[in-house]
Amino acid sequence: IIGNGNTVTLPSSQSVGGVDVKNTGIFQYNTNGTTLTVLLGLFRVESGGTVNSSGGGITGEQIQFNADVGGANFQIDAGATATIEDFVLGANASNLHYFTGGGTLSITDDILIQADGATLTNDMTASVTVTDRIEFSTGINNSTFVNNGTITAATLIFDDDDNFFTNAST
């Protein structure tokens, strides 16, 4: 739990059960190629909270959900912002995952789906921006991305059979 004007800086890849960034809290990356792995299914940024990099030169940072936890949620509340390079569903994330909330979610590179049988649903009420691609990785089958909100992405890549993108909105 990060709040009260505190900043938590991730200097190396780590695994956590979950994260809650409260009002005036900041979670940031300051090392290239750093991954935060969420194992118990909740990463929430509350109104007034922020997720970002500590500087413009930081690259390769990821938030990875990597557990078979039904209803895993990356929640960005209205008035909150999250900017990361990659959002990843890791190999063990073969269940239901959601983007929710009304805040600002910017993924400056990719959404990578690397789990068989995973479903990622965009239920954000604000627009989600993916600068590069949404990719179902090679060898991944029976996974789905469902868009119930507004999403912008440069590319949609299916590297294998039996994966689905369902657009129920914009």
Side-chain angles (χ1 to χ4, degrees):
I1 297 173
I2 306 164
N4 296 326
N6 292 309
T7 298
V8 171
T9 302
L10 191 68
S12 61
S13 295
Q14 301 291 322
S15 296
V16 296
V19 175
D20 189 358
V21 182
K22 296 195 170 285
N23 185 26
T24 70
I26 298 172
F27 173 84
Q28 66 183 11
Y29 294 85
N30 74 345
T31 304
N32 291 336
T34 305
T35 299
L36 178 72
T37 302
V38 179
L39 298 173
L40 296 179
L42 177 63
F43 191 114
R44 181 178 184 191
V45 186
E46 296 184 26
S47 181
T50 303
V51 174
N52 63 20
S53 296
S54 63
I58 304 299
T59 62
E61 74 273 10
Q62 297 182 341
I63 292 177
Q64 180 179 121
F65 279 56
N66 198 21
D68 186 11
V69 177
N73 195 355
F74 188 35
Q75 179 176 333
I76 315 300
D77 293 346
T81 61
T83 302
I84 58 167
E85 187 161 333
D86 293 320
F87 179 86
V88 179
L89 291 183
N92 297 319
S94 56
N95 213 313
L96 305 174
H97 301 81
Y98 298 91
F99 293 153
T100 60
T104 302
L105 175 56
S106 298
I107 300 170
T108 62
D109 196 20
D110 305 318
I111 294 175
L112 302 171
I113 300 172
Q114 300 175 339
D116 288 326
T119 298
L120 177 58
T121 301
N122 174 28
D123 282 336
M124 297 276 299
T125 58
S127 182
V128 175
T129 302
V130 182
T131 302
D132 194 5
R133 66 184 185 249
I134 300 169
E135 179 178 347
F136 295 89
S137 298
T138 302
I140 300 306
N141 295 292
N142 300 313
S143 290
T144 304
F145 187 104
V146 178
N147 181 46
N148 292 327
T150 300
I151 192 164
T152 302
T155 307
L156 177 61
I157 298 175
F158 295 92
D159 281 341
D160 225 314
D161 296 333
D162 301 321
N163 293 304
F164 304 93
F165 180 86
T166 302
N167 188 23
S169 191
T170 305

